[in-house]
Amino acid sequence: MTNETTTPVTVIGLGRMGQALAGAFLKAGHPTTVWNRTASKADQLVAEGARPAPTVGDALRAGALTIVCVTGYQAMYELLGASDVELGGTTLINLTSGDSAQARDAARWAEQRGARYLDGAIMAIPPAIGTSEAVILHSGPQSDFEAHRSTLDALGTVTHLGADHGLASLYDVAGLAMMWSVLNAWLQGTALLRTAGVDAATYAPFARQIAAGVAEWLPGYAEQIDSGAFPAEVSALETDARAMAHLIAESEAASVNAELPKLMKAMADRSIAAGHGGEQYPVLIEEFGKPRAD
């Protein structure tokens, strides 16, 4: 049996992230084969000990595990779908960004060609790869993940989410929704306070404390969502809506953009009109869970 620390790995796609992935495997002691359409992008990795493959087919034949990190799913199809590329017996782990439908389609495509397939999402910037700060999500058959987990550990904190190949992409965009929402809320508050001469650096520690406090509510709110019951243990939605009106008024009075708080209040108002004003804020999941009727 091959020693875990010497398991060969192939990395296809050497943009900044692909280079970071290959570099982490090399640092962990894995023989690493690399391929990129622009061959010169492999130069630094080759200097560090990577083996350049002349063709995609050669890259795939170098080992049983191949990491794909290219510009999109179509690029993967173009590279791996050529008639002279053999996928049988290979485990493909696709760390290319996309959506859940693309991930599920790619899984069927790969399996029809004899490959085992895991889809993934990288929740990190390239410099973090190879450290515990790099969170890398995987979805697909757990047995395929477990077979290569010790190798994948070289990349950071790896997690298996479930058998549905689309889960990694869904977690990815859910995380982005959280990130942008927190940042936008902070920017709204920062814009307001700047009108009174308070700079962003002064507000940031306060905002950070608020964000951390709100994060503590999530487990309890999740229980309400999963049970479908929203008793107003802290405050009722109609109370929150009145506070949203204050935020809108303050923003408009200060000539600060009020689109974000108006959107929040519009959703709350619809929920209140549907009879949920006396329930707690997570009842808004019903609004988030359905498309807006334009």
Side-chain angles (χ1 to χ4, degrees):
M1 181 176 179
T2 302
N3 186 286
E4 289 179 349
T5 61
T6 59
T7 302
V9 182
T10 290
V11 177
I12 293 177
L14 299 176
R16 290 190 64 198
M17 185 60 76
Q19 290 180 29
L21 297 171
F25 285 127
L26 283 169
K27 186 175 180 180
H30 296 281
T32 304
T33 299
V34 294
W35 184 90
N36 192 73
R37 197 187 300 272
T38 303
S40 60
K41 288 191 174 183
D43 290 349
Q44 181 59 42
L45 291 165
V46 171
E48 295 171 3
R51 173 184 176 271
T55 68
V56 171
D58 291 326
L60 289 165
R61 286 189 289 273
L65 178 63
T66 296
I67 310 296
V68 181
C69 186
V70 291
T71 56
Y73 283 77
Q74 187 57 42
M76 181 189 72
Y77 294 142
E78 291 172 1
L79 292 174
L80 304 185
S83 59
D84 60 341
V85 174
E86 176 58 51
L87 297 183
T90 298
T91 296
L92 292 178
I93 300 183
N94 186 15
L95 299 181
T96 297
S97 296
D99 60 40
S100 57
Q102 289 176 311
R104 294 175 185 125
D105 288 344
R108 287 189 289 270
W109 178 88
E111 289 164 359
Q112 287 170 0
R113 286 157 178 77
R116 296 180 179 277
Y117 182 88
L118 293 168
D119 208 88
I122 302 172
M123 312 294 285
I125 59 176
I129 298 299
T131 74
S132 60
E133 294 180 5
V135 175
I136 302 178
L137 309 176
H138 298 81
S139 52
Q142 184 165 358
S143 58
D144 293 339
F145 173 76
E146 295 297 340
H148 297 286
R149 179 166 194 157
S150 60
T151 302
L152 296 171
D153 280 339
L155 302 180
T157 302
V158 297
T159 301
H160 181 256
L161 300 172
D164 177 358
H165 286 92
L167 282 173
S169 292
L170 283 173
Y171 267 76
D172 184 23
V173 294
L176 292 174
M178 190 80 183
M179 177 187 74
W180 288 324
S181 296
V182 171
L183 288 174
N184 285 339
W186 175 67
L187 291 171
Q188 181 80 38
T190 298
L192 276 168
L193 287 166
R194 287 176 69 189
T195 67
V198 179
D199 61 23
T202 299
Y203 175 49
F206 177 81
R208 184 177 181 180
Q209 184 177 13
I210 293 295
V214 172
E216 293 297 317
W217 303 349
L218 299 184
Y221 280 9
E223 289 181 8
Q224 289 195 341
I225 291 171
D226 291 341
S227 68
F230 307 95
E233 299 167 348
V234 178
S235 68
L237 181 60
E238 57 192 7
T239 302
D240 292 319
R242 287 194 291 272
M244 292 173 190
H246 297 326
L247 173 57
I248 293 167
E250 189 75 61
S251 297
E252 292 180 334
S255 297
V256 168
N257 190 306
E259 289 176 87
L260 180 61
K262 283 181 177 179
L263 173 61
M264 294 187 292
K265 190 171 186 301
M267 297 184 76
D269 287 344
R270 289 198 297 271
S271 186
I272 292 168
H276 301 297
E279 296 176 272
Q280 195 154 263
Y281 198 85
V283 74
L284 280 178
I285 190 65
E286 304 299 334
E287 291 299 315
F288 279 96
K290 62 187 179 185
R292 179 177 174 179
D294 291 320

